[in-house]
Amino acid sequence: MSYPHEAKSRDAVVEQAIRHIGHHGGLVENWYVGIEEKGSDRDSRNDRHLINYLLFSEDDAKQAMSRLLDRGLQADDEYGAEPIILFVYTRK
């Protein structure tokens, strides 16, 4: 799993996530996005191309997730108490 080390702006996270999806391919509708306070428990054994992004605040994380949902990603069912980490992946 990739762990985020530096907080990023929501705009930067959305653009990096879209580039990540474009790099690995597939339909946007086959990708998932979620937010969590400590990071996703998703892993490469069950999911593919998992990437995590640390945001500055819970509001930034929610807004970044909303923007990615607007672009066609599916919502993951995880949701933490104070989510500041956004994660993106596709199923195997």
Coordinates of all heavy atoms in Angstrom, one line a residue:
M1 N 0.8 -1.2 0.0 CA 0.0 0.0 0.0 C 0.9 1.2 0.0 O 1.9 1.3 0.6 CB -0.9 0.0 1.2 CG -1.7 1.3 1.3 SD -2.6 1.6 2.8 CE -3.3 0.2 3.4
S2 N 0.5 2.3 -0.7 CA 1.2 3.5 -0.7 C 0.7 4.4 0.4 O -0.5 4.6 0.5 CB 1.1 4.2 -2.1 OG -0.3 4.5 -2.3
Y3 N 1.6 4.9 1.3 CA 1.2 5.8 2.3 C 1.5 7.2 2.0 O 2.6 7.5 1.5 CB 1.8 5.4 3.6 CG 1.3 4.1 4.2 CD1 2.0 2.9 4.0 CD2 0.2 4.1 5.0 CE1 1.5 1.7 4.5 CE2 -0.3 2.9 5.5 CZ 0.4 1.7 5.2 OH -0.1 0.5 5.7
P4 N 0.6 8.1 2.2 CA 0.9 9.5 1.9 C 1.8 10.1 3.0 O 1.7 9.8 4.2 CB -0.5 10.2 2.0 CG -1.3 9.3 2.9 CD -0.8 7.9 2.7
H5 N 2.7 11.0 2.6 CA 3.6 11.6 3.5 C 3.4 13.1 3.7 O 3.7 13.6 4.7 CB 5.1 11.3 3.1 CG 5.4 9.8 3.1 ND1 5.5 9.1 4.3 CD2 5.5 9.0 2.1 CE1 5.7 7.9 4.0 NE2 5.7 7.7 2.7
E6 N 3.0 13.8 2.6 CA 2.8 15.2 2.7 C 1.4 15.5 2.3 O 0.9 15.0 1.3 CB 3.8 15.9 1.7 CG 5.2 15.9 2.0 CD 6.0 16.7 1.0 OE1 5.6 17.6 0.5 OE2 7.2 16.3 0.8
A7 N 0.8 16.4 3.0 CA -0.6 16.9 2.7 C -0.6 17.6 1.4 O 0.4 18.3 1.1 CB -1.1 17.7 3.8
K8 N -1.6 17.4 0.6 CA -1.8 18.1 -0.7 C -3.1 18.8 -0.7 O -4.0 18.5 0.0 CB -1.7 17.1 -1.8 CG -0.4 16.3 -1.9 CD -0.4 15.4 -3.1 CE 0.9 14.6 -3.2 NZ 2.1 15.2 -3.0
S9 N -3.2 19.8 -1.6 CA -4.5 20.5 -1.8 C -5.5 19.6 -2.5 O -5.1 18.6 -3.2 CB -4.3 21.7 -2.6 OG -4.0 21.4 -4.0
R10 N -6.7 19.9 -2.3 CA -7.8 19.0 -3.0 C -7.7 19.0 -4.5 O -7.9 18.0 -5.1 CB -9.2 19.4 -2.5 CG -9.6 20.7 -2.8 CD -11.0 21.0 -2.3 NE -11.3 22.4 -2.5 CZ -11.3 23.3 -1.5 NH1 -11.0 22.9 -0.3 NH2 -11.6 24.5 -1.7
D11 N -7.3 20.2 -5.0 CA -7.2 20.3 -6.5 C -6.0 19.4 -7.0 O -6.2 18.7 -8.0 CB -6.9 21.7 -7.0 CG -8.2 22.6 -6.7 OD1 -9.3 22.1 -6.7 OD2 -8.0 23.8 -6.6
A12 N -4.9 19.4 -6.3 CA -3.8 18.6 -6.6 C -4.1 17.1 -6.5 O -3.7 16.3 -7.4 CB -2.6 18.9 -5.8
V13 N -4.8 16.7 -5.5 CA -5.2 15.3 -5.3 C -6.1 14.9 -6.4 O -5.9 13.8 -6.9 CB -5.9 15.2 -3.9 CG1 -6.6 13.8 -3.8 CG2 -4.8 15.3 -2.8
V14 N -7.1 15.7 -6.7 CA -8.0 15.3 -7.8 C -7.3 15.1 -9.1 O -7.4 14.0 -9.8 CB -9.2 16.3 -8.0 CG1 -10.0 16.0 -9.3 CG2 -10.1 16.3 -6.8
E15 N -6.4 16.0 -9.4 CA -5.6 15.9 -10.7 C -4.7 14.7 -10.6 O -4.5 13.9 -11.6 CB -4.9 17.2 -11.0 CG -5.8 18.3 -11.3 CD -6.7 18.0 -12.5 OE1 -6.3 17.4 -13.5 OE2 -7.9 18.3 -12.3
Q16 N -4.0 14.4 -9.5 CA -3.1 13.3 -9.4 C -3.9 12.0 -9.5 O -3.4 11.0 -10.1 CB -2.3 13.3 -8.1 CG -1.2 14.4 -8.1 CD -0.5 14.4 -6.8 OE1 -0.6 13.6 -6.0 NE2 0.4 15.4 -6.7
A17 N -5.1 11.9 -8.9 CA -5.9 10.7 -9.0 C -6.3 10.4 -10.4 O -6.3 9.3 -10.8 CB -7.1 10.8 -8.0
I18 N -6.7 11.5 -11.1 CA -7.1 11.3 -12.5 C -6.0 10.8 -13.4 O -6.1 9.9 -14.2 CB -7.8 12.6 -13.1 CG1 -9.1 12.9 -12.4 CG2 -8.0 12.5 -14.6 CD1 -10.1 11.8 -12.5
R19 N -4.8 11.4 -13.1 CA -3.6 10.9 -13.8 C -3.3 9.5 -13.5 O -2.9 8.7 -14.3 CB -2.4 11.8 -13.5 CG -2.4 13.1 -14.3 CD -1.0 13.8 -14.3 NE -0.4 13.9 -13.0 CZ -0.6 15.0 -12.2 NH1 -1.4 16.0 -12.6 NH2 0.0 15.1 -11.0
H20 N -3.4 9.1 -12.2 CA -3.2 7.7 -11.8 C -4.1 6.7 -12.5 O -3.7 5.7 -13.0 CB -3.4 7.6 -10.2 CG -3.3 6.3 -9.7 ND1 -2.0 5.7 -9.4 CD2 -4.2 5.4 -9.2 CE1 -2.2 4.5 -8.9 NE2 -3.5 4.3 -8.8
I21 N -5.4 7.1 -12.6 CA -6.3 6.3 -13.3 C -6.0 6.2 -14.8 O -6.0 5.1 -15.4 CB -7.8 6.8 -13.1 CG1 -8.2 6.6 -11.6 CG2 -8.8 6.1 -14.0 CD1 -9.4 7.4 -11.2
G22 N -5.6 7.3 -15.4 CA -5.3 7.3 -16.8 C -4.0 6.5 -17.1 O -3.9 5.8 -18.1
H23 N -3.1 6.5 -16.1 CA -1.9 5.7 -16.3 C -2.2 4.2 -16.3 O -1.6 3.5 -17.0 CB -0.9 6.1 -15.2 CG 0.3 5.2 -15.2 ND1 1.4 5.4 -16.0 CD2 0.7 4.2 -14.4 CE1 2.3 4.5 -15.8 NE2 1.9 3.8 -14.8
H24 N -3.0 3.8 -15.4 CA -3.3 2.4 -15.2 C -4.4 1.9 -16.1 O -4.6 0.7 -16.3 CB -3.6 2.0 -13.7 CG -2.4 2.2 -12.9 ND1 -1.3 1.3 -12.9 CD2 -2.1 3.1 -12.0 CE1 -0.4 1.7 -12.1 NE2 -0.8 2.8 -11.5
G25 N -5.3 2.8 -16.6 CA -6.3 2.5 -17.6 C -7.6 1.9 -17.0 O -7.7 1.8 -15.8
G26 N -8.5 1.6 -17.9 CA -9.8 1.1 -17.5 C -10.8 2.2 -17.5 O -10.5 3.4 -17.5
L27 N -12.0 1.8 -17.4 CA -13.1 2.8 -17.3 C -13.1 3.4 -16.0 O -12.9 2.8 -14.9 CB -14.5 2.1 -17.6 CG -14.6 1.4 -18.9 CD1 -15.9 0.6 -18.9 CD2 -14.6 2.4 -20.0
V28 N -13.4 4.7 -16.0 CA -13.5 5.5 -14.7 C -14.5 4.8 -13.8 O -14.3 4.8 -12.6 CB -13.8 6.9 -15.0 CG1 -14.0 7.7 -13.7 CG2 -12.6 7.6 -15.8
E29 N -15.6 4.3 -14.4 CA -16.7 3.7 -13.6 C -16.2 2.5 -12.8 O -16.9 2.0 -11.9 CB -17.8 3.4 -14.5 CG -18.5 4.6 -15.2 CD -17.8 5.1 -16.4 OE1 -16.9 4.3 -17.0 OE2 -18.0 6.2 -16.8
N30 N -15.1 1.9 -13.2 CA -14.6 0.7 -12.5 C -13.6 1.1 -11.4 O -13.0 0.2 -10.8 CB -13.9 -0.2 -13.5 CG -14.8 -0.8 -14.5 OD1 -16.0 -1.0 -14.2 ND2 -14.4 -1.2 -15.7
W31 N -13.4 2.3 -11.1 CA -12.5 2.8 -10.1 C -13.4 3.3 -8.9 O -14.5 3.7 -9.0 CB -11.7 3.9 -10.6 CG -10.6 3.5 -11.5 CD1 -10.7 3.2 -12.8 CD2 -9.2 3.2 -11.1 NE1 -9.5 2.8 -13.3 CE2 -8.6 2.8 -12.3 CE3 -8.5 3.4 -9.9 CZ2 -7.2 2.5 -12.3 CZ3 -7.1 3.0 -10.0 CH2 -6.5 2.6 -11.1
Y32 N -12.8 3.1 -7.7 CA -13.5 3.5 -6.4 C -12.7 4.6 -5.7 O -11.5 4.6 -5.8 CB -13.6 2.3 -5.5 CG -14.5 1.2 -6.1 CD1 -14.0 0.3 -7.1 CD2 -15.8 1.1 -5.7 CE1 -14.8 -0.7 -7.6 CE2 -16.6 0.1 -6.2 CZ -16.1 -0.7 -7.2 OH -16.9 -1.7 -7.7
V33 N -13.4 5.4 -5.0 CA -12.8 6.4 -4.1 C -13.4 6.4 -2.8 O -14.6 6.2 -2.6 CB -12.9 7.8 -4.8 CG1 -14.4 8.2 -5.0 CG2 -12.2 8.9 -4.0
G34 N -12.6 6.6 -1.8 CA -13.1 6.7 -0.4 C -12.3 7.6 0.4 O -11.2 8.0 0.0
I35 N -12.7 7.9 1.7 CA -11.9 8.6 2.6 C -11.9 8.0 3.9 O -12.9 7.3 4.3 CB -12.4 10.1 2.7 CG1 -14.0 10.2 3.0 CG2 -12.1 10.9 1.5 CD1 -14.5 11.6 3.1
E36 N -10.8 8.2 4.7 CA -10.7 7.5 6.0 C -9.7 8.3 6.8 O -8.9 9.1 6.3 CB -10.1 6.1 5.7 CG -9.9 5.2 6.9 CD -11.2 5.0 7.7 OE1 -12.2 4.5 7.1 OE2 -11.3 5.3 8.9
E37 N -9.8 8.2 8.1 CA -8.9 9.0 9.0 C -7.5 8.4 9.1 O -6.5 9.1 9.3 CB -9.5 9.1 10.4 CG -9.5 7.9 11.3 CD -10.7 7.0 11.1 OE1 -11.5 7.3 10.2 OE2 -10.8 6.0 11.8
K38 N -7.3 7.1 8.9 CA -6.0 6.5 9.0 C -5.5 5.9 7.7 O -4.4 5.4 7.7 CB -6.0 5.4 10.1 CG -6.3 6.0 11.5 CD -6.3 4.9 12.5 CE -6.7 5.4 13.8 NZ -6.8 4.4 14.8
G39 N -6.3 5.8 6.7 CA -5.9 5.2 5.5 C -6.7 3.9 5.2 O -7.3 3.3 6.2
S40 N -6.8 3.5 4.0 CA -7.6 2.4 3.6 C -7.0 1.1 4.1 O -5.8 0.9 4.1 CB -7.8 2.4 2.1 OG -8.5 1.3 1.7
D41 N -7.9 0.2 4.4 CA -7.4 -1.2 4.6 C -7.4 -2.0 3.4 O -7.2 -3.2 3.4 CB -8.3 -1.9 5.7 CG -9.7 -2.1 5.3 OD1 -10.1 -1.7 4.2 OD2 -10.5 -2.7 6.1
R42 N -7.7 -1.4 2.2 CA -7.6 -2.0 0.9 C -6.1 -2.4 0.7 O -5.2 -1.6 1.1 CB -8.1 -1.1 -0.2 CG -9.5 -0.6 0.0 CD -10.5 -1.8 0.1 NE -11.8 -1.3 0.2 CZ -12.6 -1.4 1.2 NH1 -12.2 -2.0 2.3 NH2 -13.9 -1.0 1.2
D43 N -5.9 -3.5 0.0 CA -4.5 -3.9 -0.3 C -4.4 -4.5 -1.6 O -5.4 -4.8 -2.2 CB -4.0 -4.8 0.8 CG -4.7 -6.1 1.0 OD1 -5.0 -6.7 0.0 OD2 -5.1 -6.4 2.1
S44 N -3.2 -4.7 -2.1 CA -2.9 -5.2 -3.4 C -3.3 -6.7 -3.6 O -3.4 -7.1 -4.7 CB -1.5 -5.0 -3.8 OG -0.6 -5.7 -2.9
R45 N -3.6 -7.4 -2.5 CA -4.1 -8.8 -2.7 C -5.5 -8.8 -3.2 O -5.8 -9.7 -4.0 CB -4.0 -9.5 -1.4 CG -2.6 -9.8 -0.9 CD -2.6 -10.4 0.5 NE -3.2 -9.3 1.4 CZ -3.2 -9.3 2.7 NH1 -2.8 -10.4 3.3 NH2 -3.7 -8.3 3.4
N46 N -6.3 -7.8 -2.9 CA -7.7 -7.8 -3.3 C -8.0 -6.7 -4.2 O -9.1 -6.8 -4.9 CB -8.6 -7.7 -2.0 CG -8.4 -8.9 -1.1 OD1 -8.4 -10.0 -1.6 ND2 -8.3 -8.6 0.2
D47 N -7.3 -5.7 -4.2 CA -7.6 -4.5 -5.0 C -6.3 -4.1 -5.8 O -5.2 -4.5 -5.5 CB -8.0 -3.3 -4.1 CG -9.1 -3.8 -3.2 OD1 -10.2 -4.1 -3.8 OD2 -9.0 -3.7 -2.0
R48 N -6.5 -3.4 -6.9 CA -5.4 -3.0 -7.8 C -5.1 -1.5 -7.8 O -6.1 -0.7 -7.7 CB -5.7 -3.4 -9.2 CG -5.8 -4.9 -9.4 CD -6.1 -5.3 -10.8 NE -6.6 -4.3 -11.6 CZ -6.5 -4.3 -12.9 NH1 -5.9 -5.2 -13.6 NH2 -7.0 -3.3 -13.6
H49 N -3.9 -1.2 -7.9 CA -3.4 0.2 -8.1 C -3.9 1.1 -7.0 O -4.3 2.3 -7.3 CB -3.9 0.7 -9.5 CG -3.5 -0.2 -10.6 ND1 -2.2 -0.7 -10.8 CD2 -4.3 -0.9 -11.5 CE1 -2.2 -1.5 -11.8 NE2 -3.4 -1.7 -12.3
L50 N -3.9 0.7 -5.8 CA -4.3 1.5 -4.6 C -3.3 2.6 -4.4 O -2.1 2.4 -4.5 CB -4.3 0.6 -3.4 CG -4.6 1.4 -2.1 CD1 -6.1 1.9 -2.1 CD2 -4.4 0.4 -0.9
I51 N -3.9 3.8 -4.2 CA -3.0 5.0 -3.9 C -3.8 5.8 -2.9 O -5.0 5.9 -2.9 CB -2.7 5.8 -5.2 CG1 -1.6 6.8 -4.9 CG2 -3.9 6.4 -5.8 CD1 -0.9 7.3 -6.1
N52 N -3.0 6.4 -1.9 CA -3.6 7.2 -0.9 C -3.1 8.6 -1.0 O -1.9 8.8 -1.3 CB -3.2 6.6 0.5 CG -3.8 5.3 0.8 OD1 -5.0 5.2 1.0 ND2 -3.0 4.2 0.7
Y53 N -3.9 9.6 -0.6 CA -3.5 11.0 -0.6 C -3.9 11.6 0.7 O -5.1 11.5 1.1 CB -4.3 11.7 -1.7 CG -4.0 11.2 -3.1 CD1 -4.9 10.3 -3.7 CD2 -2.9 11.6 -3.8 CE1 -4.7 9.8 -5.0 CE2 -2.6 11.1 -5.1 CZ -3.6 10.2 -5.7 OH -3.3 9.7 -6.9
L54 N -3.0 12.3 1.3 CA -3.3 13.0 2.6 C -3.7 14.4 2.2 O -3.0 15.1 1.4 CB -2.0 13.0 3.4 CG -2.1 13.8 4.7 CD1 -3.1 13.1 5.7 CD2 -0.7 13.9 5.4
L55 N -4.8 14.8 2.8 CA -5.3 16.2 2.6 C -5.2 17.0 3.9 O -5.0 16.5 4.9 CB -6.7 16.1 2.1 CG -6.8 15.7 0.6 CD1 -7.4 14.3 0.5 CD2 -7.5 16.7 -0.2
F56 N -5.3 18.3 3.7 CA -5.2 19.2 4.9 C -6.3 19.1 5.9 O -6.1 19.4 7.1 CB -5.0 20.6 4.4 CG -3.7 20.9 3.7 CD1 -3.7 21.1 2.3 CD2 -2.5 20.8 4.3 CE1 -2.6 21.4 1.6 CE2 -1.3 21.1 3.6 CZ -1.3 21.3 2.3
S57 N -7.5 18.8 5.4 CA -8.7 18.8 6.3 C -9.7 17.8 5.9 O -9.7 17.3 4.8 CB -9.3 20.2 6.4 OG -9.9 20.5 5.2
E58 N -10.7 17.6 6.8 CA -11.8 16.7 6.5 C -12.6 17.3 5.3 O -13.1 16.6 4.4 CB -12.7 16.5 7.7 CG -13.9 15.6 7.5 CD -14.7 15.5 8.8 OE1 -14.2 15.8 9.9 OE2 -15.8 15.0 8.7
D59 N -12.8 18.6 5.4 CA -13.6 19.3 4.3 C -12.9 19.1 2.9 O -13.6 18.8 1.9 CB -13.8 20.8 4.6 CG -14.8 21.0 5.7 OD1 -15.6 20.1 5.9 OD2 -14.7 22.1 6.2
D60 N -11.6 19.2 2.9 CA -10.8 19.0 1.7 C -11.0 17.6 1.2 O -11.2 17.4 0.0 CB -9.3 19.3 1.8 CG -9.0 20.8 1.9 OD1 -9.9 21.6 1.6 OD2 -7.9 21.2 2.2
A61 N -10.9 16.6 2.1 CA -11.1 15.2 1.7 C -12.5 15.0 1.1 O -12.6 14.3 0.1 CB -10.8 14.3 2.9
K62 N -13.5 15.5 1.8 CA -14.9 15.3 1.3 C -15.1 16.0 -0.1 O -15.7 15.4 -1.0 CB -15.9 15.9 2.3 CG -15.9 15.0 3.5 CD -16.9 15.6 4.6 CE -17.0 14.8 5.8 NZ -17.9 15.4 6.8
Q63 N -14.5 17.2 -0.2 CA -14.7 17.9 -1.5 C -13.9 17.2 -2.6 O -14.4 17.1 -3.8 CB -14.2 19.3 -1.4 CG -15.2 20.1 -0.6 CD -14.7 21.6 -0.4 OE1 -13.9 22.1 -1.1 NE2 -15.3 22.2 0.6
A64 N -12.7 16.6 -2.4 CA -12.0 15.9 -3.4 C -12.7 14.6 -3.8 O -12.8 14.3 -4.9 CB -10.6 15.6 -2.9
M65 N -13.3 13.9 -2.8 CA -14.0 12.7 -3.1 C -15.3 13.1 -3.9 O -15.6 12.4 -4.9 CB -14.5 12.0 -1.8 CG -15.3 10.8 -2.0 SD -15.6 9.9 -0.5 CE -16.6 8.6 -1.1
S66 N -16.0 14.2 -3.6 CA -17.1 14.6 -4.3 C -16.8 14.9 -5.8 O -17.5 14.5 -6.7 CB -17.7 15.8 -3.7 OG -18.9 16.3 -4.4
R67 N -15.6 15.5 -6.0 CA -15.2 15.9 -7.4 C -14.9 14.6 -8.2 O -15.2 14.5 -9.3 CB -14.0 16.8 -7.3 CG -14.3 18.2 -6.9 CD -13.1 19.0 -6.9 NE -13.4 20.3 -6.3 CZ -12.5 21.3 -6.3 NH1 -11.3 21.1 -6.7 NH2 -12.8 22.4 -5.7
L68 N -14.3 13.6 -7.5 CA -14.0 12.3 -8.2 C -15.3 11.5 -8.4 O -15.4 10.9 -9.5 CB -13.0 11.5 -7.4 CG -11.6 12.2 -7.4 CD1 -10.7 11.5 -6.4 CD2 -11.0 12.1 -8.8
L69 N -16.2 11.6 -7.5 CA -17.5 11.0 -7.8 C -18.2 11.6 -9.0 O -18.8 10.9 -9.8 CB -18.4 11.0 -6.5 CG -18.0 10.2 -5.4 CD1 -18.8 10.5 -4.1 CD2 -18.0 8.7 -5.7
D70 N -18.1 12.9 -9.1 CA -18.7 13.7 -10.2 C -18.1 13.2 -11.5 O -18.7 13.3 -12.6 CB -18.6 15.2 -10.0 CG -19.5 15.7 -8.9 OD1 -20.4 15.0 -8.5 OD2 -19.2 16.9 -8.5
R71 N -16.8 12.8 -11.5 CA -16.1 12.4 -12.7 C -16.4 10.9 -13.0 O -15.9 10.4 -14.0 CB -14.6 12.6 -12.5 CG -14.3 14.1 -12.5 CD -12.8 14.2 -12.7 NE -12.5 15.6 -12.7 CZ -11.4 16.1 -13.3 NH1 -10.6 15.3 -13.9 NH2 -11.1 17.4 -13.2
G72 N -17.2 10.2 -12.2 CA -17.7 8.9 -12.5 C -17.1 7.8 -11.7 O -17.5 6.6 -11.9
L73 N -16.3 8.0 -10.7 CA -15.8 7.0 -9.8 C -16.9 6.5 -8.9 O -17.9 7.2 -8.7 CB -14.6 7.5 -9.0 CG -13.2 7.5 -9.6 CD1 -13.1 8.6 -10.6 CD2 -12.2 7.5 -8.5
Q74 N -16.8 5.3 -8.4 CA -17.8 4.7 -7.5 C -17.3 5.0 -6.1 O -16.2 5.0 -5.8 CB -17.8 3.2 -7.7 CG -18.2 2.8 -9.1 CD -19.6 3.2 -9.5 OE1 -20.6 3.1 -8.7 NE2 -19.8 3.8 -10.6
A75 N -18.3 5.1 -5.2 CA -18.0 5.4 -3.8 C -17.7 4.1 -3.1 O -18.4 3.1 -3.2 CB -19.2 6.1 -3.1
D76 N -16.6 4.1 -2.3 CA -16.2 3.0 -1.4 C -17.1 3.2 -0.1 O -17.4 4.3 0.2 CB -14.7 3.1 -1.1 CG -14.2 1.9 -0.3 OD1 -14.4 1.9 0.9 OD2 -13.7 1.0 -0.9
D77 N -17.3 2.1 0.6 CA -18.2 2.1 1.7 C -17.4 2.5 3.0 O -18.1 2.7 4.0 CB -18.9 0.8 1.9 CG -17.9 -0.3 2.2 OD1 -16.7 -0.2 2.1 OD2 -18.4 -1.4 2.4
E78 N -16.1 2.7 3.0 CA -15.4 3.1 4.2 C -15.7 4.6 4.4 O -15.8 5.4 3.5 CB -13.9 3.0 4.0 CG -13.4 1.6 4.2 CD -11.9 1.5 4.3 OE1 -11.3 2.4 4.9 OE2 -11.3 0.6 3.7
Y79 N -15.7 5.0 5.7 CA -15.8 6.4 6.1 C -15.4 6.5 7.5 O -16.1 5.9 8.4 CB -17.2 6.9 5.8 CG -17.3 8.4 5.8 CD1 -17.2 9.0 4.6 CD2 -17.6 9.1 6.9 CE1 -17.3 10.4 4.5 CE2 -17.6 10.5 6.9 CZ -17.5 11.1 5.7 OH -17.6 12.5 5.7
G80 N -14.4 7.2 7.8 CA -13.9 7.3 9.2 C -14.5 8.5 9.9 O -15.3 9.3 9.4
A81 N -14.1 8.7 11.2 CA -14.6 9.8 12.0 C -14.2 11.1 11.6 O -14.9 12.1 11.5 CB -14.3 9.5 13.4
E82 N -12.9 11.3 11.3 CA -12.3 12.5 10.8 C -11.4 12.2 9.6 O -10.2 12.3 9.7 CB -11.5 13.2 11.9 CG -12.4 13.7 13.1 CD -11.5 14.3 14.1 OE1 -10.5 14.9 13.8 OE2 -12.0 14.3 15.3
P83 N -12.1 12.0 8.5 CA -11.3 11.5 7.3 C -10.4 12.6 6.7 O -11.0 13.7 6.4 CB -12.3 11.0 6.3 CG -13.6 11.8 6.7 CD -13.5 12.0 8.2
I84 N -9.1 12.4 6.5 CA -8.3 13.3 5.8 C -7.4 12.6 4.8 O -6.6 13.2 4.2 CB -7.4 14.1 6.8 CG1 -6.5 13.2 7.6 CG2 -8.2 15.1 7.7 CD1 -5.4 13.9 8.4
I85 N -7.6 11.3 4.7 CA -6.9 10.5 3.6 C -7.9 10.0 2.6 O -8.9 9.4 3.0 CB -6.1 9.4 4.3 CG1 -5.1 9.9 5.2 CG2 -5.5 8.5 3.2 CD1 -4.3 8.8 6.0
L86 N -7.7 10.3 1.4 CA -8.5 9.9 0.3 C -7.7 8.7 -0.4 O -6.5 8.8 -0.6 CB -8.7 11.0 -0.7 CG -9.5 10.7 -1.9 CD1 -10.6 11.8 -2.2 CD2 -8.7 10.5 -3.2
F87 N -8.5 7.7 -0.8 CA -7.8 6.6 -1.5 C -8.6 6.2 -2.7 O -9.8 6.5 -2.8 CB -7.7 5.3 -0.6 CG -9.0 4.9 0.0 CD1 -9.7 3.9 -0.6 CD2 -9.4 5.4 1.2 CE1 -10.9 3.4 0.0 CE2 -10.6 4.9 1.8 CZ -11.4 4.0 1.2
V88 N -7.9 5.7 -3.7 CA -8.4 5.4 -5.0 C -7.9 4.0 -5.4 O -6.7 3.7 -5.2 CB -8.0 6.4 -6.1 CG1 -8.4 6.0 -7.5 CG2 -8.6 7.8 -5.7
Y89 N -8.7 3.2 -6.0 CA -8.3 1.8 -6.4 C -9.3 1.3 -7.4 O -10.4 1.8 -7.6 CB -8.2 0.9 -5.2 CG -9.5 0.5 -4.5 CD1 -10.2 -0.6 -4.9 CD2 -10.0 1.4 -3.6 CE1 -11.4 -0.9 -4.3 CE2 -11.2 1.1 -3.0 CZ -11.9 0.0 -3.3 OH -13.1 -0.3 -2.7
T90 N -8.9 0.2 -8.1 CA -9.8 -0.6 -8.9 C -9.8 -2.0 -8.4 O -8.8 -2.5 -7.8 CB -9.5 -0.5 -10.4 OG1 -10.5 -1.1 -11.2 CG2 -8.1 -1.1 -10.7
R91 N -10.9 -2.7 -8.6 CA -10.9 -4.1 -8.2 C -10.1 -5.0 -9.1 O -10.0 -4.7 -10.3 CB -12.4 -4.6 -8.2 CG -13.3 -3.8 -7.3 CD -13.8 -4.6 -6.2 NE -14.8 -3.9 -5.4 CZ -14.7 -3.5 -4.2 NH1 -13.6 -3.9 -3.5 NH2 -15.6 -2.8 -3.6
K92 N -9.7 -6.2 -8.6 CA -9.0 -7.2 -9.4 C -10.0 -7.9 -10.3 O -11.1 -8.0 -10.0 CB -8.2 -8.2 -8.5 CG -6.9 -7.6 -8.1 CD -6.1 -8.8 -7.5 CE -4.7 -8.2 -7.3 NZ -3.8 -9.2 -6.7

